[in-house]
Amino acid sequence: IAAHGLEKAKGMNVTHVLVDTAGRLHIDEVMMDEVTGLRKLLNPQEVLFVADAMAGQDAVNAAKEFHDKVGITGLILTKMDGDARGGAALSIRQVTGVPVKFIGIGEKPDAIEQFYPDRLAGRILGMGDILGLIDKAKESITEEDSERFAEKMKKGSFDLQDFVEQIRKVRNMGPLGQLMGMIPGFSRIKAQMNLDDLNDGMFNQAEAIVLSMTKWERRHPEKIDGK
């Protein structure tokens, strides 16, 4: 099936083909034989091992066995949006000698990022990842948006419709808890905070309240009777 798919892709002038093999929590010989056979048949440019950042030592053992039998060229670390800080990346890098190329921070196709060692080191040490946060902000909020909102703030014309637009842009950056974790020093103060109150539900509630208003009310919040 994979070989036929590759030939079909060549006929369609496809530039990239991904072959996703069966995943396992534990290594078994049937799967290893299948993956080894695929590697010989397809001769891929890259063989990437996808490791669960929350699996710890199990992920390290699996990566080593894969590398010994199949020969991997790089790693992808998934579930980096969870509680795991990614310490497994250091161990896997050590035992296989191949680089981590990408990290997964969610379930959607756009939730995969290029790997930067210094940023992961910062996360592991609880120092945050301010550069990662800046990158996310740039993806969600354009320079024109920033200037427009800043100008409205200066003039005092920032209204509830603008507020909802800002909420949506922040939500596009990822889960709120994950964003907060990228702020340097946050790891030291989060124990003093009630993180149950710090979730995306706050945004949903605020957006629902504003959207229940008429467009005129959103644009003229000062005219709404507070009673």
Side-chain angles (χ1 to χ4, degrees):
I1 291 170
H4 177 71
L6 186 59
E7 287 305 311
K8 187 81 172 174
K10 287 176 181 175
M12 295 167 62
N13 291 323
V14 172
T15 56
H16 294 76
V17 175
L18 300 179
V19 179
D20 181 21
T21 62
R24 295 283 195 284
L25 291 175
H26 301 287
I27 301 298
D28 62 62
E29 288 305 316
V30 175
M31 181 187 64
M32 292 306 298
D33 290 344
E34 182 183 291
V35 175
T36 304
L38 273 173
R39 197 195 203 302
K40 290 177 181 174
L41 182 69
L42 302 175
N43 191 28
Q45 276 92 352
E46 295 270 12
V47 180
L48 303 175
F49 180 79
V50 182
D52 182 340
M54 302 181 79
Q57 191 59 40
D58 285 342
V60 178
N61 296 338
K64 185 178 187 310
E65 193 157 346
F66 255 91
H67 189 49
D68 291 345
K69 294 188 177 178
V70 182
I72 58 179
T73 59
L75 304 160
I76 299 177
L77 210 59
T78 65
K79 296 187 184 174
M80 287 298 292
D81 52 327
D83 293 334
R85 288 183 178 176
L90 301 177
S91 301
I92 295 173
R93 174 73 176 87
Q94 180 66 29
V95 300
T96 62
V98 301
V100 179
K101 298 199 171 183
F102 298 97
I103 58 172
I105 55 167
E107 297 178 4
K108 294 181 180 179
D110 61 351
I112 186 165
E113 295 182 347
Q114 189 174 344
F115 173 74
Y116 295 99
D118 52 342
R119 297 186 187 182
L120 184 69
R123 288 188 196 183
I124 293 172
L125 296 171
M127 294 164 60
D129 179 9
I130 198 69
L131 292 175
L133 190 60
I134 291 169
D135 285 346
K136 283 180 176 292
K138 284 180 179 176
E139 288 172 13
S140 300
I141 304 170
T142 65
E143 198 170 329
E144 291 78 12
D145 285 335
S146 299
E147 290 175 0
R148 180 166 60 87
F149 285 129
E151 192 61 33
K152 295 198 85 170
M153 292 289 273
K154 282 182 192 172
K155 292 179 178 176
S157 61
F158 189 87
D159 57 42
L160 291 174
Q161 185 62 43
D162 299 320
F163 173 63
V164 167
E165 285 181 35
Q166 288 281 50
I167 282 178
R168 288 172 176 166
K169 290 180 185 299
V170 171
R171 284 168 66 180
N172 286 340
M173 290 169 63
L176 186 57
Q178 179 190 322
L179 296 178
M180 295 297 285
M182 298 172 85
I183 298 173
F186 179 72
S187 61
R188 291 197 294 273
I189 63 169
K190 68 179 179 181
Q192 303 166 32
M193 301 174 67
N194 185 357
L195 292 186
D196 292 336
D197 295 336
L198 197 67
N199 58 51
D200 298 301
M202 296 190 313
F203 287 156
N204 297 338
Q205 188 177 20
E207 187 175 355
I209 291 170
V210 175
L211 294 183
S212 69
M213 301 174 185
T214 65
K215 287 185 179 178
W216 185 88
E217 286 173 327
R218 290 178 224 161
R219 287 300 185 193
H220 302 89
E222 74 283 356
K223 302 293 186 184
I224 299 171
D225 184 350
K227 289 180 286 186

